[in-house]
Amino acid sequence: RRSVGMSISEVAVAQAAGGDAGAPTVFDKIIAKEIPATVLYEDDEALAFKDVNPQAPTHFLVIPKKRDGLTQLSKAEPRHKALLGHLLYVAQDVAKQQELADGFRVVVNDGRDGAQTVYHLHVHVMGGRQMGWPPG
């Protein structure tokens, strides 16, 4: 497999992530306040917080507070439509709060080849610099 633009460690972590085992994830622990996070937004359905390994000057994640089977985007079902829309709405709302008026990138990693490392759906929002293309 070729992994252009990703470090070997990122690929290794994604390949070793093992997929969805159903066990609590680091994000479940953040939601439960067992692990600290810099929270930027929270409501009954979603939580947005700063990424601990930022890839841009501004990098935050938006996650559903309940996984409800939504461990990957590819696992989405019709019942998840409203929540998926809400996550994107929260992403743009927090991007405005973070003063990303010049633009931002939204990324969802899905599965091993998509470099997903945590099997709890999460939306990356990155900005504060010019993004390159193709992304890798």
Side-chain angles (χ1 to χ4, degrees):
R1 292 181 197 245
R2 190 163 173 203
S3 53
V4 177
M6 290 183 67
S7 72
I8 292 173
S9 63
E10 288 174 291
V11 173
V13 169
Q15 296 297 311
D20 176 26
T25 68
V26 64
F27 296 158
D28 291 312
K29 293 175 183 179
I30 289 171
I31 293 164
K33 311 292 188 226
E34 295 170 9
I35 295 176
T38 303
V39 174
L40 303 173
Y41 176 91
E42 183 172 8
D43 65 21
D44 291 341
E45 297 178 295
L47 182 70
F49 54 93
K50 289 187 177 185
D51 194 299
V52 296
N53 185 26
Q55 302 300 305
T58 300
H59 185 171
F60 62 90
L61 303 175
V62 182
I63 64 171
K65 289 178 83 174
K66 295 181 181 90
R67 274 189 285 172
D68 189 28
L70 201 51
T71 56
Q72 298 174 241
L73 185 58
S74 61
K75 305 274 185 184
E77 299 174 10
R79 65 190 170 98
H80 295 124
K81 286 181 184 181
L83 178 58
L84 291 169
H86 183 65
L87 296 175
L88 287 177
Y89 184 82
V90 168
Q92 67 80 35
D93 194 41
V94 175
K96 286 179 186 174
Q97 293 171 17
Q98 295 294 303
E99 300 179 352
L100 298 178
D102 289 336
F104 53 92
R105 176 167 288 161
V106 175
V107 175
V108 177
N109 298 331
D110 188 277
R112 288 171 47 117
D113 283 357
Q116 184 173 1
T117 57
V118 178
Y119 282 80
H120 183 135
L121 180 74
H122 52 289
V123 177
H124 292 264
V125 182
M126 295 168 279
R129 67 169 168 85
Q130 177 63 58
M131 299 292 160
W133 196 262

